[in-house]
Amino acid sequence: MKRLTKHLILVPCTEESLPQAFDEDYPVGPHIAAYIDELKNDPSALGWGPWFIISRETLTIIGDAGFKGVPDKNGAVETGYSIIPSEQNKGLATEAVAALIDWACSTGEASIVRAECHKDNVPSIRVLEKTGMVREKEVESMIYWEKPGNRVNAEDS
């Protein structure tokens, strides 16, 4: 179920892919452990949680991106992402998020992709703008984004 882009290999987090993360210098967060537990109870959630972002050049994990659960009854799903500092500002988060939006839309289950970020998080704002997300609203320190579920070409990102 992995996705390949120009610079990346995207692999959904599973119990099988988790050992690789522990072999790396990648800080596995609690969201990954929670998702692994969720998969044990609901295997149909595969892909609707975090995916490891692996550099095709070094074959090391450089971050994770994905979704915060299965699409809701309206087909909406929320995306999130994180790249280790040494790999930031290279367009890799944009490439990963674009590929995962493409995957989500190709399943037929997601019709809207949403995201949120802090108003002062300029790198994240750039990622969301480059992937075609549109600012829907601002509340206090947060910007809320939305993209109708049309496919994007991750190779062009």
Side-chain angles (χ1 to χ4, degrees), residues 56-111:
R56 286 180 83 165
E57 181 181 339
T58 64
L59 298 179
T60 58
I61 297 172
I62 61 165
D64 65 78
F67 305 99
K68 298 179 182 180
V70 298
D72 66 18
K73 64 182 177 169
N74 298 315
V77 66
E78 185 176 348
T79 188
Y81 45 91
S82 177
I83 301 285
I84 61 172
S86 63
E87 297 298 318
Q88 293 175 358
N89 300 310
K90 298 178 182 180
L92 300 174
T94 302
E95 191 171 319
V97 171
L100 291 175
I101 290 173
D102 185 56
W103 173 82
C105 296
S106 74
T107 67
E109 296 178 50
S111 56

Side-chain angles (χ1 to χ4, degrees), residues 5-53:
T5 68
K6 184 175 181 183
H7 301 101
L8 305 171
I9 303 166
L10 304 170
V11 179
C13 295
T14 63
E15 212 159 15
E16 293 75 33
S17 66
L18 199 54
Q20 179 183 353
F22 286 114
D23 293 341
E24 308 274 346
D25 286 332
Y26 184 71
V28 174
H31 64 293
I32 293 174
Y35 177 66
I36 299 297
D37 285 342
E38 180 183 345
L39 279 178
K40 290 176 186 174
N41 296 323
D42 182 8
S44 71
L46 181 63
W48 298 110
W51 294 56
F52 289 121
I53 303 171

